[in-house]
Amino acid sequence: MSCYTQLLSPLSGPLPLHTYSSLQIQQPTTLKRNNTSQPNSYVLNHPITTTSPPKPISHSRTQASWIETLLSQTRSNQFREAISTYIEMIHSGIEPDNFAFPAVLKAVTALQDLSLGKQIHAHVVKFGYQSSSVTVANTLVNVYGKCGDIGDAYKVFDGMIDRDQVSWNSMIAALCRFEEWELALEAFRSMFLDNMQPSSFTLVSAALACSNLHKPDGLRLGKQVHAYSIRMCESKTFTINALMSMYAKLGMVAYSRGVFELFEECDLVSWNTMISSLSQNDQFSEALEFFRLMVLEGVKPDGVTVASVLPACTHLEMLDAGKEIHAYVLRTNELTGNSYVGSALVDMYCNCRQVESGRRVFNAVMERKVPLWNAMITGYAQNEYDEEALNLFLEMYAASGLSPNATTMSSIVPACVRSEAFPGKESIHGFVIKRSLEKNRYVQNALMDMYSRMGRTEISETIFNSMEGRDIVSWNTMITGYVISGRHDDALNLLFGMQRVEEKKNTDGNGCDDERRVPLKPNTITLMTLLPGCAALSALAKGKEIHAYATRHLLALDVAVGSALVDMYAKCGCLDLSRAMFNQIPLKNVITWNVIIMAYGMHGRGEEALELFNNMVDEGRWNKELRPNEVTFIAIFAACSHSGMVDEGLNLFHKMKQDHGIKPAPDHYACIVDLLGRAGNVEGAYEIIKTMPSEFDKAGAWSSLLGACRLHQNVEIGEIAANHLLQLEPDVASHYVLLSNIYSSSGLWEKAMDVRRKMKEMGVRKEPGCSWIEFEDEVHKFLAGDLSHPQSDQLHEYLETLSERMKKEGYVPDTSCVLHNVDEDEKETLLCGHSEKLAMAFGLLNTRPGTTIRIAKNLRVCNDCHLAAKYISKMLDREIILRDVRRFHHFKNGSCSCGDYW
């Protein structure tokens, strides 16, 4: 046997008794000593439910008769009757023996009554069977292991003089039940040292323990367990099934499939294991193929099969296949009322956006368990049927008397944050705490998302920092929270923090157990969340790093990541790279097309945008998923607007319903108002608003009109637009600013001051101008008039010098928007403090001559900064790419790509 003693390398020291002292779980007492009766008499605290009247106590029955009755009742699963028989036997003065104790302890285990088990254990000790009978001791280990007291299970095991195979199997299984995986494998190794050969049951437990270790260790040790089973010619079906499950859980589905294909005696469990393994590892097409082969082999699917294969239909959006499986369920009576099959069907229908069908399945199941309620609540929440989700949650909790679990709460929290019918959103957090679920990772992730969407990112941070174990969803949720709140710098920093945690784990193995088990590698969700942050900051270098990472990990051509890369390159001013990325994506969706059309529009390339739109229309003729949608028309209208393509834009607008089946929405009207107003047809734009249906929200259209009036100094219509906007959106600062600027540029200084005064009285604060520029892997942020940057003095001095040089070249500062109660010199000084000029100066001072300067700004670039950028590009022979809130400006050789049309 020595050749097996080193099968598993030690994972810990000897099995310590104190390890289990804190793991005891007390159960309700159901048996107590009756002090008024005989010394050995016990009575139940509650009545025993029996199928026949209680038998009278007989003192004439033999021990063999009592024990035979006890054994018969236990074999028939009449567990309460068996305990009643045991009590009567004790009352009759009959001593239990090594046949009676295992029988009654089996009944105790089935009833999960730890307190009763301990009292019978006292009988075992009293009658001397703990040390004299291995069978009785083994049963005690099993009782404690299954009833929640691993400490006492180990005490019994440790006190056994003689241990057999069952003793070791019971102890190892108990350790697995308590998820003490490393100790279970240590016990497995110790079994060899005790010269005890493992059985099939031992190997099943060992495989389960291996499957729950960190992948490298689990796979190494799992292979050893597999090798041992081959050497011992151990090929029982349940052992093979356990090995298949182990490999699948460790992510090695190919190994699972290899084991399956080499085994000739596969049963229903084998097929189910293989199908669920494929589904859980995102190999959905293969899962459906195995299901087909299973049916062809004549193996009848059961509830587990159906619940395992339906997720494959969901992810492949194969609703028809899912309906066929549903039809099979309806034809099979034993599956019709199965709550778990019902859960899988509800999940399938809801994920395929057939929520009503999901609800019909839910209603048809009479015995509804928590997973079925969760599936329906989740289906409602995912499809944003928020009030229905909340009502069903209340019905589950109040009417059905079921306790919501972590899955319930992680599903209902998003519905709470979106629903206007649920005003006190923080109260759901209180309910979570009341249910003692606040430490559950999935619930914490949902709460972080809720607070981020409420604008309470600081609470999300507190939850994130308090988490004992973060998974990739936790990191993604916090990153998304930062992006939602506009904290793109923090989002990028958190990505690097995630990678540092992973690097630290790889070098020293420290960290939370959950983080050790799940590699914290950015996935598609991480990348598609972060890339918009790079785009917002014009952080091209960081965007390229993420692109390189995506390429190395074969994620770049994923349609979601690829579309985000197209958008990132476009918004960082690299339209050619954006188009190249677009061309590389093998399977494009409507979002991919919308992004590239919008990209060309932002860069003032309206004709190319229109050509792309026509190509999309052609693609949509044979693939309806690629037909233009509402967003497509917003993108193409914006492209026409920025390029002055008025006729083309109006033509598309008038034909969008007829040719494409899309009815113009408020945003489309706003785009057309912008199209006409930017071209100088302010009156025509005003007429378009008058034609809008009365029920439409017109705030966007009035805002576009007000911007056009600012551009073309139309005071009369500007006042009309502003009056409507200040009624609809009195807290939006840009409306006041635009009206004030209209008055200022027309010399109406008193009116301009009145608007500023009213804005102050209303407590409305103007969003400060902010610009970003990337340099040496760091994004530098500049605010208008801000002096906090380390190079601030140098930048202002440099801008003053540049201003003097530009004046000699003919530059005249445009001070029309600076308040009139400031002298001209001070006005020019204020203009030098604009954020985009500070960013420009920083780029000019810190980069090599000839380097392109890329800047992003949160507001529209002002007239003076636009003029100054043209002079600077010519004087210093620099290309300057500036993205403002509306479009791109490529300054080169003294001119701008917008043609002063912005």
Side-chain angles (χ1 to χ4, degrees):
M1 188 61 68
S2 61
C3 65
Y4 304 126
T5 58
Q6 297 301 319
L7 173 64
L8 296 173
S9 56
L11 294 173
S12 65
L15 299 177
L17 185 61
H18 66 80
T19 303
Y20 310 105
S21 60
S22 63
L23 296 176
Q24 300 183 14
I25 301 174
Q26 297 298 325
Q27 300 292 335
T29 301
T30 56
L31 189 77
K32 69 179 181 180
R33 187 179 298 277
N34 183 355
N35 294 326
T36 62
S37 186
Q38 302 174 25
N40 293 332
S41 176
Y42 289 77
V43 295
L44 290 170
N45 282 345
H46 52 75
I48 299 175
T49 303
T50 60
T51 56
S52 57
K55 298 175 183 177
I57 296 176
S58 171
H59 294 279
S60 61
R61 292 179 64 183
T62 63
Q63 183 191 48
S65 172
W66 282 105
I67 292 173
E68 178 57 35
T69 301
L70 187 60
L71 290 169
S72 175
Q73 289 170 334
T74 305
R75 283 193 293 265
S76 302
N77 295 334
Q78 295 177 304
F79 302 120
R80 292 191 180 277
E81 290 83 348
I83 291 170
S84 179
T85 297
Y86 175 80
I87 294 170
E88 292 174 17
M89 185 176 76
I90 297 297
H91 283 179
S92 301
I94 304 297
E95 291 188 2
D97 63 5
N98 60 328
F99 294 102
F101 281 125
V104 72
L105 287 169
K106 178 183 177 182
V108 168
T109 305
L111 296 174
Q112 290 286 290
D113 197 327
L114 180 61
S115 178
L116 176 58
K118 288 185 175 183
Q119 294 182 65
I120 295 175
H121 185 181
H123 278 197
V124 170
V125 174
K126 177 177 180 179
F127 290 110
Y129 283 100
Q130 179 166 326
S131 57
S132 63
S133 173
V134 176
T135 303
V136 174
N138 290 344
T139 313
L140 282 168
V141 171
N142 186 56
V143 169
Y144 285 122
K146 289 184 177 178
C147 289
D149 193 336
I150 190 66
D152 278 348
Y154 181 73
K155 286 178 184 178
V156 174
F157 178 81
D158 192 52
M160 294 174 67
I161 298 172
D162 295 314
R163 303 185 185 114
D164 61 9
Q165 198 178 65
V166 176
S167 312
W168 284 99
N169 287 348
S170 299
M171 190 66 234
I172 293 169
L175 289 166
C176 286
R177 196 168 291 111
F178 276 83
E179 300 184 2
E180 294 285 351
W181 311 116
E182 295 184 353
L183 287 174
L185 289 171
E186 178 62 24
F188 180 50
R189 176 180 176 274
S190 299
M191 186 177 183
F192 288 104
L193 297 175
D194 202 33
N195 293 320
M196 189 63 60
Q197 183 172 314
S199 68
S200 300
F201 297 103
T202 328
L203 296 177
V204 168
S205 294
L208 176 63
C210 291
S211 72
N212 283 281
L213 296 179
H214 188 40
K215 183 176 178 178
D217 292 334
L219 188 57
R220 175 174 58 84
L221 298 176
K223 285 181 177 180
Q224 292 182 41
V225 172
H226 189 184
Y228 175 79
S229 72
I230 293 172
R231 288 201 302 272
M232 299 305 295
C233 298
E234 177 53 64
S235 58
K236 290 186 173 62
T237 305
F238 58 84
T239 308
I240 299 300
N241 292 341
L243 289 169
M244 288 164 51
S245 179
M246 175 193 74
Y247 282 127
K249 196 168 182 180
L250 291 167
M252 306 301 291
V253 187
Y255 288 12
S256 295
R257 189 167 184 167
V259 173
F260 177 87
E261 291 174 349
L262 289 172
F263 188 56
E264 297 180 355
E265 299 179 15
C266 296
D267 61 2
L268 175 62
V269 176
S270 309
W271 284 97
N272 286 348
T273 302
M274 200 62 240
I275 291 170
S276 64
S277 299
L278 291 164
S279 281
Q280 290 167 11
N281 284 274
D282 297 343
Q283 297 185 25
F284 304 115
S285 298
E286 292 85 349
L288 282 170
E289 177 62 18
F290 261 82
F291 178 70
R292 188 184 70 82
L293 293 172
M294 175 183 179
V295 174
L296 292 176
E297 289 284 333
V299 181
K300 185 179 179 182
D302 66 355
V304 175
T305 321
V306 173
S308 299
V309 77
L310 280 172
C313 300
T314 299
H315 285 85
L316 295 174
E317 297 186 356
M318 296 177 64
L319 181 59
D320 290 341
K323 286 182 176 180
E324 289 180 21
I325 295 171
H326 189 185
Y328 170 81
V329 170
L330 294 174
R331 292 196 304 271
T332 311
N333 290 333
E334 61 266 27
L335 296 180
T336 305
N338 187 307
S339 182
Y340 296 102
V341 171
S343 302
L345 284 167
V346 168
D347 183 69
M348 186 268 296
Y349 279 118
C350 290
N351 277 293
C352 291
R353 296 174 292 281
Q354 302 286 319
V355 183
E356 292 78 9
S357 297
R359 183 59 194 254
R360 284 195 290 271
V361 173
F362 176 85
N363 292 340
V365 180
M366 295 297 102
E367 187 182 349
R368 297 170 190 156
K369 298 180 180 177
V370 172
L372 179 62
W373 287 91
N374 287 348
M376 195 66 244
I377 291 170
T378 302
Y380 275 139
Q382 286 178 344
N383 288 277
E384 298 190 9
Y385 287 59
D386 297 321
E387 291 191 21
E388 290 86 346
L390 288 164
N391 288 332
L392 195 63
F393 171 72
L394 293 174
E395 183 183 339
M396 172 189 179
Y397 183 62
S400 300
L402 295 173
S403 296
N405 60 16
T407 304
T408 324
M409 299 314 302
S410 60
S411 299
I412 202 64
V413 166
C416 292
V417 74
R418 288 192 302 261
S419 176
E420 295 181 1
F422 190 81
K425 305 187 187 305
E426 294 91 339
S427 61
I428 198 69
H429 193 172
F431 183 82
V432 163
I433 295 171
K434 182 180 178 181
R435 305 298 307 173
S436 300
L437 295 171
E438 72 277 9
K439 294 295 183 183
N440 180 276
R441 185 199 309 148
Y442 303 107
V443 177
Q444 288 174 317
N445 291 343
L447 288 170
M448 283 195 296
D449 180 69
M450 178 187 82
Y451 282 115
S452 294
R453 295 183 187 283
M454 290 170 60
R456 306 288 299 277
T457 316
E458 70 283 357
I459 301 179
S460 299
E461 288 176 314
T462 301
I463 296 171
F464 180 80
N465 293 330
S466 70
M467 293 179 76
E468 296 175 357
R470 306 181 188 109
D471 59 9
I472 187 65
V473 177
S474 311
W475 290 87
N476 286 348
T477 302
M478 194 65 246
I479 288 170
T480 303
Y482 283 138
V483 171
I484 288 172
S485 61
R487 294 169 59 179
H488 302 292
D489 285 339
D490 290 327
L492 289 168
N493 289 335
L494 198 61
L495 169 67
F496 302 137
M498 183 203 304
Q499 293 173 322
R500 283 194 295 271
V501 168
E502 180 67 12
E503 289 169 4
K504 186 178 180 183
K505 288 188 301 179
N506 291 338
T507 55
D508 60 20
N510 292 332
C512 175
D513 178 66
D514 288 318
E515 289 185 343
R516 286 202 308 272
R517 284 187 44 74
V518 183
L520 293 176
K521 294 180 179 178
N523 59 13
T524 55
I525 304 296
T526 322
L527 303 186
M528 60 187 287
T529 302
L530 276 167
L531 284 166
C534 297
L537 300 174
S538 280
L540 179 61
K542 284 184 170 62
K544 285 184 173 180
E545 286 180 26
I546 293 173
H547 188 182
Y549 175 91
T551 301
R552 288 196 305 272
H553 292 83
L554 306 179
L555 299 174
L557 299 183
D558 173 88
V559 66
V561 175
S563 300
L565 284 167
V566 171
D567 183 62
M568 182 274 295
Y569 280 122
K571 289 179 178 174
C572 286
C574 301
L575 188 58
D576 291 343
L577 291 177
S578 177
R579 182 60 182 266
M581 188 67 235
F582 173 83
N583 292 337
Q584 289 175 31
I585 301 173
L587 295 174
K588 303 173 181 67
N589 60 18
V590 68
I591 296 173
T592 319
W593 283 95
N594 288 348
V595 166
I596 194 67
I597 292 170
M598 203 169 293
Y600 274 88
M602 280 193 306
H603 285 266
R605 307 266 289 270
E607 291 183 3
E608 290 96 326
L610 188 58
E611 182 182 351
L612 282 164
F613 173 81
N614 291 329
N615 292 342
M616 182 183 184
V617 171
D618 290 340
E619 294 279 342
R621 289 195 175 96
W622 60 269
N623 183 354
K624 64 180 181 180
E625 297 296 326
L626 297 180
R627 291 173 184 170
N629 60 13
E630 292 84 353
V631 178
T632 316
F633 280 94
I634 292 173
I636 193 61
F637 290 154
C640 291
S641 178
H642 291 307
S643 299
M645 298 165 57
V646 178
D647 293 339
E648 292 87 343
L650 286 173
N651 185 49
L652 284 170
F653 177 73
H654 293 306
K655 291 184 177 180
M656 60 187 290
K657 183 178 180 181
Q658 176 185 336
D659 292 353
H660 304 281
I662 297 174
K663 188 177 179 181
D667 286 340
H668 299 122
Y669 278 96
C671 289
I672 297 303
V673 170
D674 182 72
L675 173 74
L676 292 170
R678 193 181 297 272
N681 188 0
V682 177
E683 291 77 9
Y686 184 25
E687 291 301 318
I688 287 288
I689 296 179
K690 292 179 181 179
T691 67
M692 289 177 69
S694 58
E695 69 273 14
F696 274 14
D697 178 5
K698 300 180 182 178
W702 286 119
S703 181
S704 294
L705 183 61
L706 184 61
C709 292
R710 161 68 182 91
L711 187 64
H712 298 287
Q713 299 181 16
N714 191 316
V715 177
E716 181 183 354
I717 296 179
E719 287 179 331
I720 296 171
N723 288 334
H724 281 94
L725 283 169
L726 295 181
Q727 290 179 17
L728 293 169
E729 297 176 338
D731 298 325
V732 177
S734 60
H735 305 332
Y736 296 90
V737 173
L738 281 172
L739 181 58
S740 174
N741 288 345
I742 289 172
Y743 288 141
S744 298
S745 60
S746 300
L748 302 172
W749 298 108
E750 288 300 323
K751 287 191 174 185
M753 290 297 294
D754 288 341
V755 173
R756 297 277 181 172
R757 195 178 299 111
K758 183 178 179 181
M759 183 178 176
K760 188 175 181 180
E761 290 171 358
M762 293 286 292
V764 180
R765 299 187 63 182
K766 176 182 179 293
E767 181 181 5
C770 181
S771 296
W772 298 268
I773 183 170
E774 186 181 34
F775 176 67
E776 292 186 349
D777 202 34
E778 183 179 352
V779 176
H780 293 259
K781 179 179 179 180
F782 296 92
L783 293 171
D786 185 25
L787 300 175
S788 62
H789 192 276
Q791 292 181 252
S792 182
D793 292 340
Q794 186 180 359
L795 297 178
H796 282 275
E797 183 179 343
Y798 182 63
L799 283 171
E800 289 178 13
T801 303
L802 268 181
S803 181
E804 293 302 318
R805 286 183 59 186
M806 288 190 293
K807 286 178 182 178
K808 293 178 181 178
E809 298 290 330
Y811 163 69
V812 178
D814 184 345
T815 61
S816 60
C817 290
V818 182
L819 293 182
H820 74 292
N821 57 349
V822 177
D823 62 42
E824 286 301 314
D825 289 341
E826 192 171 347
K827 287 181 181 180
E828 292 182 23
T829 302
L830 289 172
L831 290 174
C832 285
H834 280 194
S835 64
E836 58 266 55
K837 280 187 181 172
L838 292 170
M840 250 184 277
F842 176 86
L844 293 168
L845 283 173
N846 290 282
T847 59
R848 291 193 302 267
T851 305
T852 299
I853 296 173
R854 302 174 190 275
I855 300 167
K857 187 182 179 183
N858 65 332
L859 304 175
R860 181 181 182 275
V861 62
C862 79
N863 293 346
D864 182 71
C865 290
H866 190 271
L867 179 63
K870 290 197 290 185
Y871 275 93
I872 292 171
S873 70
K874 183 176 182 180
M875 284 169 41
L876 302 181
D877 194 22
R878 291 285 195 115
E879 182 178 3
I880 301 170
I881 300 176
L882 171 61
R883 189 193 79 225
D884 67 12
V885 72
R886 288 188 176 273
R887 63 163 297 154
F888 269 90
H889 301 268
H890 293 253
F891 299 98
K892 192 172 183 180
N893 295 326
S895 63
C896 179
S897 60
C898 73
D900 295 334
Y901 186 84
W902 93 102

